[in-house]
Structures are given as structure tokens and as C-alpha cells.
Amino acid sequence: MVVAVRRRRALLSGWLALLFQQPRYGGCGSAKTGSIGWWNRRIWSRCPWHQGAAMAGKHKETSGESSFPKNRGEEDNKEHQAGTDMHYPKETVRKRQNSSRSSRGSDSSRASRRSFRLDYRLEEDVTKSMRGKDGKFVNPWPTWKAPALKNILKWALTEKNNSNVPSSKEELDKELPVLEPYFVQQPELAGRTDSGIRVTWLGHATVLVEMDELVLITDPVFSHRASPVSFMGPKRYRAPPCTIEQLPKLDAVLISHNHYDHLDYNTVVGLNQRFGGELRWFVPLGLLDWMQRCGCENVIELDWWEENCVPGHDEVTFVFTPAQHWCKRTATDDNKALWGSWSVLGPCNRFFFSGDTGYCAAFEQIGKRFGPFDLAAIPIGAYEPRWFMKYQHVDPEEAVRIHIDVQAKKSVAIHWGTFALANEYYLDPPVKLEEALVRYGLQSEDFFVLKHGESKDLHFDEECFENKPTTFMSTPMDVDKMICEVQEEENKKCVLND
Ligand SMILES: *[C@@H]1O[C@H](CO)[C@@H](O)[C@H](O)[C@H]1NC(C)=O
Ligand SMILES: *[C@@H]1O[C@H](CO)[C@@H](O)[C@H](O)[C@H]1NC(C)=O
């Protein structure tokens, strides 16, 4: 009884701290200031699409015609010019181009790579981000309800916390062993996956993904607490399986939103110290300033459905896609930044990172436009009690529905086994996941669970040709409309099947 009360108090103080702490605890805010000019805010690269918003008009224009990929060569430059001029004053464009040219590393790409345009015929079928009258972002789905203080209190005071995380390290080591990731001993193997995709779970929502000659990390958290302060807030009961120094060379970081268990100040600073401007940060709209105050220079901030890429890797497109969640780091910054998921579309593999989310209609849209995905990382934990959590966190059954909606060939379970954020028994998520898979007629290996630090290689039989012409055409709708005979001949054109 005493323990239960104490736990509730601990929980309550954590949440109240999050609700009422002062902005100075927000992390980067006061830590560093830089004299980074306004025009440096977006680091321009030689990606074919510099920034989604600038290109959206162009895509709409062409959305009626057949959008078969063609050799874009010089067209890219013209388009860039047109795209940017449309949206920014001339002066700004010039400054940006200068800053891009002189910035080290981040734009030293091979300009000769061919790249392909995504198919935008489904442009009108997706839900765009929305803001309320106060300028703050809102969830545009009927499945959303904001976590009211009244309900937070009700949860904290009346619901039983069934986490029961053992305090004995032996027991934890037995139930949730933390393995040393393969790349600590064999860093030379990292990033070499041929046409396959490799995923390593580093705890909570942090996964390392190697695909299409890139090494990515999602929502990196290497700290021991998910909190603005080091003495309070959710503490991880399983340590990170490696340090930032032990990571292989990373090309990109994907950030889903700014909650402390997904965006950690010390981790951002640590990664930036190690990789500097070579590392590209993909962040939701509204987070750019915060990232720059952390010292990060190579940051791309995107709205839902906008896209960009890593310099020198034009062939892999990063699209910020929706999710149903919310944002908060300080007392007053609620939903000033956006939240979402990431769709990474390469010539060989497609990876979907769902971030932190409740179940909503977004995933079907994402699946229609960008599926099938070779791999999805989907949360299975922090879901009890449902009356309170369901708007912001899926349970394992809804996770399986996301897996189906986005048309994932395989999924990896994340967002469990690391922080005790909600009320379910700490070992329940994989058990419930297995039950849900059975109900949906799926196999354990379709939506698998990894140990901390464990990796899995996924090799798909299909050959991967660089510049495979149909790579970006395979939304199910398109497949219905077209007969694409890629396997037979590399350069064979798709045929419309009207
Ligand atoms: C851009 O660079 C050119 C040549 O390097 C220089 O003459 C010009 O003043 C620069 N413009 C700005 C806005 O910095
Ligand atoms: C629930 O209990 C665990 C210990 O089992 C504790 O670490 C955690 O903070 C509590 N969770 C909440 C949401 O209070």
C-alpha cells in the first residue's frame, strides 16, 4: 500500500514536473547560442528536392501527366531555381546558395547521380498538418483527444501501476538482457548490407537502420533519464546497449517529436560533437531553432508529406509523414512543434518509423502512398490504461493494424522494455503482440521483438538495381493500373493498363 502510494506520488510529480517546469529546463534553450544567420536555417544540398514545400506546387502541376521517372539531369537545377524563387525573396536565395557552397562537407555530393521523382498522383488523398487558432498544431483526426490535466490526475491517482519492474539486476538481465551490438566489436561491418536492410534495437524508440548505403538512427536516447533534469523523471531500467562513441558512422538522424524520451539534449549534443555537420538531422516542423541552439548545423525541418535527402545520396528520399501524438518540453511550448513518422524510401528498401502514436487514419494513407515497406518500427508499449493512453499510444493490437495499414513486410517492436511510462506489466507488450499477431493470422517473424542491442538482417530475394525505374511507383493503386516488368529487364518501361 505504502509502495503503491509512493509510486503514484512519483508518477504524479513526474507528470506535473513536465507540465509546469520552466522553459529554462527545456534543454538546448539556454545552453548554447550561436550566430547562425536566418539563411542558414536550412542547409541546402544537391538533393533533387531541396525542401518539400518549395516543390509541392511543381508536383501538383505535373500530377495529371504520366509521371514516369526520367533522367532528370539538368532539369533538377531548373526546378530548384524555380522552386526556391517561388517561395523565398531573391536575396535570401542568393545567400542560401552561397552558404550552401561554402559549407563544409554537407554538400560535397556527387551531382551525377540520377534520381527519381515520387509519384504524386495521390497528392489530394492525404491529410495535411493543421494548426488551431492559437497557431499550435492539432491532430486532424476524430480519433484524437488531448490529455487534459483532469485526466492526468485521474490516471495518476486512481489507476493501479502494474509495471512491477523488478529491482534486481539479475532478474532484469534474465528477462530483458542487454547485448553488445555487433558493431562495437566489428565496426567495419556497419553499413554493408548489399541490397538488404539491417536493424538494431538500442532500447525504447532508438533503432539503428542500415539500408541503401546509409546508416540511420531514430529518436536517439543514450541518457539514463527521459527528463529535463537529471535527478527526476522516468529513469530507464535497461541501460543503453552501447555509447555514442561506439556507434558506427551515422548519416542521418530521424526525430519523431520533442518529448524527452525521444529527443534527449545530451544525446543530441553528444552526436553533434562526434559527427558534426556531416550528420544530417531530419526533424519535425518547429524544431529547427531548438536543434540549432544545440549546435547542430545540418538540420532539415519538414512538414507532413515534405521530403528531403542526405547529400550525396539523392536516391534515398526521407518523407516526414503524420502520426497522432502531441509535443511538449516546457511549461508553455505545447504543440508549437509538430510530431510525426518518417518514411525512408530507397531504391532497394523502404523503412517506416512510426514515432510515437495513437491509432489513426494516417497509416492507411502512408501505406497507399509509400507502401509496401520492407521494414517498419512500430511502438508496442506504454498503453495502459486505455481510456487515457489510447489517443497517444497504440497498444500491441493497434500496432499490428499499423503494420498492416502501412503494408510493412516486416516490423520491429519498439517503445517498450526501457522506461516504465504507463501502467501495463513491463513484460506484457511482447506477449500481447504475439496474441494480436495470432488473431490477425500473422507470424511472429512478421512483427518481431529484438533484445536490447540485438540486430536482425532482412534480405529480400528481389534484386536491387540502382536506378530501378519503378522503385517509386509501387503504391498498390499504381500497381493495379500498371504492369511493370522490372524483373525481366532493368530498363523496361512501365505500361499503363487502361
Ligand atoms: C556570394 O558569393 C559571391 C562569389 O563567391 C560573392 O561575390 C557574393 O558577394 C556572395 N553573396 C552573398 C550574398 O554573400
Ligand atoms: C510504475 O512503477 C514502476 C516500477 O515498477 C516505476 O518505475 C514507474 O515510474 C511507475 N510508472 C508510472 C507511470 O508511475
Side-chain angles (χ1 to χ4, degrees):
M1 186 59 201
V2 177
V3 176
V5 170
R6 216 182 277 150
R7 272 187 194 154
R8 271 178 207 167
R9 242 187 249 151
L11 154 74
L12 192 55
S13 66
W15 272 77
L16 292 180
L18 278 184
L19 284 175
F20 299 114
Q21 43 170 290
Q22 295 308 304
R24 69 199 154 91
Y25 291 134
C28 288
S30 54
K32 280 194 182 169
T33 51
S35 54
I36 300 164
W38 187 83
W39 57 88
N40 266 337
R41 287 176 158 216
R42 290 174 203 277
I43 304 295
W44 296 89
S45 73
R46 295 220 171 93
C47 294
W49 316 284
H50 292 261
Q51 204 272 332
M55 297 307 299
K58 176 74 183 175
H59 285 303
K60 272 204 182 110
E61 256 171 54
T62 58
S63 63
E65 30 175 57
S66 119
S67 44
F68 296 137
K70 45 189 170 200
N71 191 343
R72 290 162 57 84
E74 326 116 29
E75 206 185 315
D76 279 346
N77 282 331
K78 266 190 263 155
E79 237 177 57
H80 167 213
Q81 219 50 51
T84 4
D85 287 349
M86 248 179 330
H87 289 262
Y88 301 101
K90 273 228 160 57
E91 168 114 349
T92 313
V93 171
R94 208 173 52 232
K95 279 179 178 167
R96 286 181 184 206
Q97 284 168 347
N98 271 23
S99 82
S100 161
R101 246 177 243 129
S102 59
S103 75
R104 342 145 254 141
S106 53
D107 72 333
S108 58
S109 62
R110 291 153 285 166
S112 60
R113 278 205 112 117
R114 285 166 70 199
S115 33
F116 297 100
R117 186 184 308 170
L118 290 160
D119 185 352
Y120 273 78
R121 277 173 297 167
L122 300 173
E123 179 77 34
E124 305 310 324
D125 298 341
V126 298
T127 306
K128 302 284 171 63
S129 65
M130 273 173 61
R131 292 178 196 252
K133 286 201 186 77
D134 53 4
K136 296 179 173 183
F137 290 104
V138 295
N139 281 294
W141 298 283
T143 40
W144 170 250
K145 196 171 137 190
L149 180 59
K150 182 186 76 180
N151 287 333
I152 295 173
L153 293 177
K154 185 177 153 202
W155 168 48
L157 298 173
T158 68
E159 292 285 348
K160 187 166 181 308
N161 177 2
N162 296 312
S163 300
N164 291 329
V165 178
S167 46
S168 129
K169 186 171 179 303
E170 287 68 36
E171 194 178 342
L172 277 171
D173 281 344
K174 189 170 131 274
E175 297 294 351
L176 294 173
V178 180
L179 315 180
E180 186 180 80
Y182 82 89
F183 50 73
V184 173
Q185 299 300 330
Q186 294 170 292
E188 70 283 359
L189 294 184
R192 293 173 54 185
T193 53
D194 300 322
S195 64
I197 180 169
R198 182 184 298 135
V199 58
T200 307
W201 186 46
L202 300 178
H204 204 54
T206 309
V207 290
L208 189 99
V209 174
E210 300 157 62
M211 59 175 263
D212 293 85
E213 298 177 4
L214 287 175
V215 182
L216 329 168
I217 199 166
T218 64
D219 287 355
V221 174
F222 288 84
S223 297
H224 288 269
R225 267 186 215 275
S227 164
V229 288
S230 61
F231 52 85
M232 187 177 84
K235 191 176 173 188
R236 63 194 293 165
Y237 52 84
R238 293 280 69 192
C242 68
T243 64
I244 289 173
E245 285 64 40
Q246 289 170 327
L247 289 170
K249 184 178 181 303
L250 303 177
D251 298 292
V253 186
L254 309 179
I255 301 292
S256 66
H257 68 297
N258 72 5
H259 283 154
Y260 288 92
D261 56 324
H262 294 258
L263 181 63
D264 177 65
Y265 172 71
N266 288 321
T267 303
V268 171
V269 169
L271 286 170
N272 191 45
Q273 261 164 15
R274 170 143 183 231
F275 298 108
E278 297 279 310
L279 179 61
R280 174 152 283 196
W281 297 80
F282 291 97
V283 306
L285 190 57
L287 257 185
L288 181 67
D289 289 335
W290 190 91
M291 296 301 306
Q292 290 191 330
R293 287 198 296 274
C294 290
C296 301
E297 293 172 6
N298 190 355
V299 184
I300 297 289
E301 175 189 71
L302 299 177
D303 197 354
W304 287 350
W305 307 106
E306 288 183 352
E307 70 207 30
N308 210 292
C309 63
V310 172
H313 294 267
D314 303 0
E315 71 284 4
V316 183
T317 302
F318 292 73
V319 191
F320 192 46
T321 37
Q324 177 173 296
H325 206 66
W326 57 296
C327 275
K328 185 177 184 65
R329 280 182 87 84
T330 70
T332 56
D333 74 345
D334 302 57
N335 296 345
K336 284 186 179 167
L338 189 55
W339 51 89
S341 58
W342 289 95
S343 299
V344 184
L345 316 169
C348 300
N349 293 288
R350 291 178 172 216
F351 167 63
F352 178 67
F353 170 53
S354 74
D356 212 355
T357 188
Y359 185 75
C360 69
F363 302 105
E364 217 184 317
Q365 296 179 356
I366 294 165
K368 273 193 184 142
R369 193 184 269 198
F370 297 132
F373 289 90
D374 300 278
L375 175 70
I378 304 175
I380 62 163
Y383 54 86
E384 290 281 352
R386 292 313 287 148
W387 67 264
F388 179 66
M389 287 294 178
K390 70 175 176 187
Y391 308 105
Q392 51 181 319
H393 289 153
V394 290
D395 64 13
E397 168 137 10
E398 290 165 333
V400 171
R401 284 166 66 193
I402 293 179
H403 165 88
I404 294 166
D405 286 355
V406 300
Q407 303 171 34
K409 292 178 191 165
K410 301 282 175 201
S411 289
V412 58
I414 59 168
H415 206 262
W416 75 283
T418 314
F419 295 99
L421 299 172
N423 290 1
E424 76 271 6
Y425 178 54
Y426 82 115
L427 292 176
D428 259 1
V431 176
K432 293 280 191 301
L433 173 64
E434 185 58 35
E435 291 168 8
L437 287 172
V438 169
R439 279 198 296 279
Y440 281 83
L442 294 167
Q443 312 290 316
S444 308
E445 71 251 27
D446 294 330
F447 196 145
F448 55 88
V449 173
L450 293 175
K451 297 187 174 77
H452 290 262
E454 191 185 4
S455 301
K456 193 170 178 100
D457 270 290
L458 302 171
H459 285 291
F460 298 97
D461 296 336
E462 58 200 70
E463 291 223 34
C464 172
F465 300 111
E466 197 177 331
N467 303 330
K468 188 164 90 176
T470 53
T471 298
F472 286 135
M473 311 293 289
S474 56
T475 61
M477 252 182 166
D478 301 334
V479 171
D480 288 343
K481 288 186 197 147
M482 293 172 213
I483 302 167
C484 293
E485 298 167 27
V486 198
Q487 272 96 355
E488 287 174 27
E489 196 183 315
E490 189 183 347
N491 283 318
K492 206 155 180 175
K493 289 270 191 264
C494 293
V495 184
L496 261 182
N497 186 25
D498 273 335

